[in-house]
Amino acid sequence: MGSYSVLKTNFSPMLHSQDEFSLPRLSSSLHSMKWKLNAVAFAQDQNEDEDKKNTGAMSSSQQKQEKLKVKSALKFSGENPSTPILDTINCPKHMKNLSIEELEMLADEIREEVIYVVSNTGGHLGASLEVAELTVALHHVFSTPDDKIIWDVGHQAHPHKILTARTSRMRTIRQTNRLSGFPKWDESVHDAFGAGLGMAAGRDLLGKNNHVIVVISDGAMTTGQAYEALNNVNFLDSNLIIILNDNNQVSLPIATADGSPPPVGALRKALKRLRQVPKAITERVGGQAHEIVAKVDLYPRGMMINGLGACFFEELGLHYIGPVDGHNLEELVHIMKMVKAIPGQGTVLIHVVTKKGKGYAPAEATPDKMHGVVKFKPNSGKQLKLKSSTLSYTQYFAESLIAEAERDDKIVAIHAGMDGGTRFNLFHKRFPDRCFDVEIAERDVVTFAAGLATKGLKPFCTIYSSFLRRVYYQIVHDVDLPKLPVRFAIDSAGVVGADGLTHCNAFDTTLLACLPNMVVMAPSCERELMNMVATAATINDRPSCFRYPRGNGIGSIIPSFNKGTPLEVGKGRVLEEGTRVAILGYGTIVQSCVAAARLLQRFGISATVVDARFCKPLDGELIRQLA
């Protein structure tokens, strides 16, 4: 029997009296039974003996093997995939009468469709592949849009889009005025706003009885807001179903140069203990004889809370079920139906174990590199990256910071689960004791860096512009007001069109420039970026920041040994002298200003081009000269 399989044997007579048996009492009774592991082992033996007695009949595991043999292999040829079952699904209700075998085939067809689409459009891949079975099970058991399915991590949602009447438009994803790469409330009635606990409480206030299901990844579980909501769940006592999608990548370094190092953090270790020794028990709940899988193992669960025999989630008042094989559709459907059927079930957390990139060998082998991709060849996974004579701005930043750190042992680097995305994997390789990964918890990045700054260190925090919005309070209260010299390197700044509204990174300049003590910079090219890294390293009396875009440099001359020259704070520079008009640029748009000046010159108009360098403090003297 596989490590996550569901036991169908009924242990009810051994575990409860004639009274109705509620979930809290079930959990309490299970914790008190020291002999239950032996009972499980005995039941497994009995099941195997029963299979052997049925002459001519195959065991469930043998039947599954036969199904796998009959099942056609997934095809990733790059051609439009054949999807006979998916072609009959125009909305989720068309899935209700499908058998388990048909649902399994549907999940495979979804994988083929996702790979075909993303290979032609680019975008997020691995996360959607891992939830194919989970998504099929959710839409088979529950009924959107009445039931609400909230995808905490939006890049998991491609299968959800495919099953909710958008298959024919998937090939327009990430294009102007077409499908978004993430769930979008005004795109479909099946896309729910991401606030599951509030939606459940609102449902209760309105006297409705629909289900609210939240799918949250183990990576998103490391954020403070997730714990705040879990703390509130038991107090509100709402019926809520939480699917913890655990792919063992709490903090996945994206596209690292040296492969994917193991994830970090205590949560990863706790979830690993829950996965290691899964035992299964089937219980009957209440007089209505509802079967529900209550997978329990005292040893790994008890390890989480002082050996008391209850896991962290149960201590918060949640009913924990798991671990569950996230790629076993029969088991997923069975558990979800049983949870759905229990009246007033409270908050149930189903711990689902998945594999990132499941079903596609290149994505399984390199989940870091296949997390987010450009266009690629489906038959090999080879990404069709455009060759460039220059490196990315992110790479130039990392190499410049390493050069500064070589000369200053007080420089430290901090990121939020983005080792490869920020290229801090290079810094970590050179200075392993001076690089900190706090997982996907940007607020902790800021306050942790503030603490380092109070001890005389020089912290550089790298945060994507889209994620900087999460930490504004910490920047104001923990860094700017006390004037702590924390340096913020704001990656992927500016408009990132294909990723849609969630990645419109145009707000950071305004947010930070209004703070009283922050120095705000933006480079016009990669050389200027290196100069600003050097500048930030010298600012020790207040916080500072600089923003740079996603993409490659323009080919400017790089300083020797990647070591920039500190700039005078608050001073811009004149790039071209003119006589009739002046064009003032800030950041990489300066290159467009230069191009505009040359275009004007063709019409006899002489233009001065200025690189502001600093948004705050502004170079007032230079601006007055331009006027």
Side-chain angles (χ1 to χ4, degrees):
M1 178 171 286
S3 61
Y4 300 113
S5 62
V6 179
L7 293 179
K8 303 298 183 185
T9 305
N10 177 17
F11 288 101
S12 302
M14 293 188 286
L15 300 181
H16 67 81
S17 65
Q18 299 301 316
D19 299 331
E20 288 191 350
F21 205 41
S22 65
L23 272 172
R25 291 180 59 195
L26 170 62
S27 179
S28 176
S29 296
L30 288 174
H31 292 161
S32 67
M33 296 189 312
K34 298 179 181 179
W35 45 263
K36 73 183 176 98
L37 297 182
N38 291 330
V40 172
F42 174 77
Q44 290 174 326
D45 292 338
Q46 290 291 96
N47 284 347
E48 291 170 1
D49 291 341
E50 196 65 32
D51 286 334
K52 293 176 182 177
K53 290 178 183 178
N54 294 327
T55 56
M58 292 184 293
S59 68
S60 59
S61 61
Q62 289 173 325
Q63 291 173 356
K64 187 170 284 285
Q65 290 299 321
E66 287 300 314
K67 291 175 187 175
L68 291 174
K69 289 179 183 178
V70 175
K71 212 172 185 180
S72 60
L74 297 183
K75 298 177 181 178
F76 307 121
S77 63
E79 298 178 358
N80 194 352
S82 173
T83 54
I85 296 181
L86 181 58
D87 292 344
T88 68
I89 309 298
N90 295 318
C91 62
K93 66 181 179 181
H94 294 160
M95 301 170 53
K96 300 302 181 185
N97 294 326
L98 295 182
S99 67
I100 293 296
E101 290 78 9
E102 290 169 326
L103 291 174
E104 289 172 343
M105 293 175 65
L106 176 61
D108 284 344
E109 290 179 10
I110 288 173
R111 277 198 178 88
E112 291 182 340
E113 181 70 16
V114 167
I115 289 169
Y116 178 77
V117 167
V118 179
S119 69
N120 285 283
T121 64
H124 290 99
L125 179 65
S128 284
L129 297 178
E130 79 185 43
V131 297
E133 288 86 2
L134 176 59
T135 309
V136 168
L138 283 168
H139 280 294
H140 177 70
V141 174
F142 298 98
S143 301
T144 60
D146 292 332
D147 293 330
K148 305 300 180 185
I149 301 175
I150 298 103
W151 297 93
D152 183 83
V153 180
H155 54 248
Q156 295 177 330
H158 285 9
H160 164 76
K161 287 182 178 252
I162 289 171
L163 291 173
T164 51
R166 285 171 277 185
T167 305
S168 62
R169 293 183 289 153
M170 285 299 291
R171 294 159 202 187
T172 71
I173 207 163
R174 304 177 76 244
Q175 298 176 26
T176 305
N177 298 324
R178 304 296 179 90
L179 284 189
S180 168
F182 302 91
K184 192 176 180 182
W185 203 3
D186 59 359
E187 184 180 284
S188 171
V189 294
H190 298 278
D191 289 359
F193 177 69
L197 183 56
M199 294 172 74
R203 171 205 60 202
D204 297 343
L205 286 172
L206 296 174
K208 297 183 178 181
N209 60 0
N210 61 292
H211 295 277
V212 177
I213 307 98
V214 177
V215 183
I216 182 169
S217 73
D218 49 346
M221 278 293 294
T222 60
T223 64
Q225 191 170 15
Y227 290 111
E228 292 165 10
L230 287 174
N231 181 58
N232 199 22
V233 160
N234 193 36
F235 174 76
L236 292 178
D237 195 28
S238 290
N239 292 339
L240 179 67
I241 300 171
I242 302 172
I243 309 290
L244 172 57
N245 177 27
D246 174 9
N247 64 10
N248 192 29
Q249 293 178 340
V250 172
S251 178
L252 175 66
I254 308 300
T256 58
D258 302 316
S260 180
V264 301
L267 178 62
R268 176 192 66 85
K269 295 177 182 178
L271 293 178
K272 183 179 180 181
R273 285 197 293 269
L274 281 173
R275 289 192 301 268
Q276 276 178 336
V277 198
K279 303 284 193 288
I281 280 186
T282 301
E283 270 303 321
R284 185 173 291 176
V285 180
Q288 297 177 339
H290 290 302
E291 254 190 357
I292 183 170
V293 176
K295 293 188 163 193
V296 182
D297 186 282
L298 287 181
Y299 175 70
R301 287 150 57 102
M303 288 285 286
M304 295 185 69
I305 299 291
N306 299 324
L308 298 179
C311 75
F312 171 74
F313 303 112
E314 289 174 326
E315 290 294 319
L316 291 174
L318 283 66
H319 305 301
Y320 173 90
I321 299 174
V324 180
D325 184 350
H327 303 299
N328 184 328
L329 255 168
E330 182 177 10
E331 184 168 337
L332 288 169
V333 169
H334 178 72
I335 291 171
M336 290 180 190
K337 283 183 176 179
M338 294 305 102
V339 172
K340 179 182 178 182
I342 301 170
Q345 86 274 3
T347 300
V348 177
L349 185 141
I350 305 174
H351 180 186
V352 174
V353 179
T354 59
K355 183 176 180 61
K356 191 155 190 176
K358 177 69 175 177
Y360 185 49
E364 289 190 29
T366 55
D368 51 349
K369 293 187 171 73
M370 300 300 283
H371 169 77
V373 297
V374 297
K375 295 179 182 181
F376 64 93
K377 294 181 178 180
N379 59 350
S380 64
K382 182 179 179 181
Q383 298 189 46
L384 307 177
K385 295 182 178 180
L386 297 176
K387 293 184 179 181
S388 174
S389 59
T390 63
L391 302 175
S392 68
Y393 278 95
T394 303
Q395 183 89 8
Y396 287 119
F397 157 69
E399 292 183 356
S400 179
L401 187 60
I402 290 171
E404 296 295 328
E406 294 276 6
R407 296 162 176 79
D408 188 342
D409 60 7
K410 290 186 177 181
I411 289 177
V412 293
I414 311 134
H415 66 94
M418 295 294 289
D419 191 284
T422 61
R423 294 299 182 267
F424 269 2
N425 57 302
L426 303 175
F427 190 98
H428 181 267
K429 188 174 182 179
R430 179 65 184 84
F431 305 105
D433 296 332
R434 292 158 61 185
C435 187
F436 300 91
D437 178 0
V438 304
E439 304 177 11
I440 306 175
E442 286 84 3
R443 287 183 287 188
D444 189 32
V445 166
V446 175
T447 305
F448 180 73
L452 292 171
T454 65
K455 307 308 294 183
L457 295 168
K458 297 183 177 182
F460 278 76
C461 299
T462 300
I463 304 177
Y464 278 21
S465 177
S466 54
F467 304 147
L468 187 79
R469 301 191 289 268
R470 302 175 183 171
V471 300
Y472 193 59
Y473 174 81
Q474 281 71 27
I475 293 175
V476 174
H477 185 272
D478 298 343
V479 175
D480 191 79
L481 294 182
K483 299 181 68 174
L484 290 174
V486 176
R487 294 90 175 158
F488 295 97
I490 305 170
D491 201 327
S492 297
V495 177
V496 185
D499 284 334
L501 294 175
T502 59
H503 286 60
C504 179
N505 303 333
F507 308 122
D508 54 87
T509 299
T510 302
L511 289 172
L512 297 178
C514 67
L515 300 182
N517 300 307
M518 184 74 68
V519 175
V520 184
M521 305 174 270
S524 58
C525 63
E526 58 267 45
R527 182 184 181 89
E528 282 289 286
L529 173 59
M530 291 182 165
N531 290 338
M532 289 180 183
V533 172
T535 304
T538 65
I539 299 175
N540 297 313
D541 59 346
R542 51 189 154 162
S544 58
C545 67
F546 49 92
R547 71 193 309 259
Y548 49 94
R550 186 167 75 180
N552 287 22
I554 64 168
S556 59
I557 299 173
I558 300 302
S560 299
F561 306 107
N562 298 318
K563 176 66 176 71
T565 302
L567 306 173
E568 184 179 354
V569 174
K571 291 296 181 180
R573 60 172 180 158
V574 177
L575 298 179
E576 295 185 6
E577 291 276 7
T579 57
R580 292 189 57 187
V581 296
I583 307 174
L584 177 64
Y586 174 69
T588 53
I589 201 171
V590 167
Q591 304 306 324
S592 298
C593 297
V594 172
R598 290 170 183 169
L599 181 62
L600 288 171
Q601 192 173 22
R602 291 168 52 186
F603 294 92
I605 301 173
S606 176
T608 296
V609 179
V610 174
D611 176 6
R613 284 180 167 167
F614 295 86
C615 170
K616 181 175 175 292
L618 278 172
D619 189 344
E621 181 181 351
L622 178 58
I623 292 174
R624 283 190 291 271
Q625 290 176 2
L626 295 176

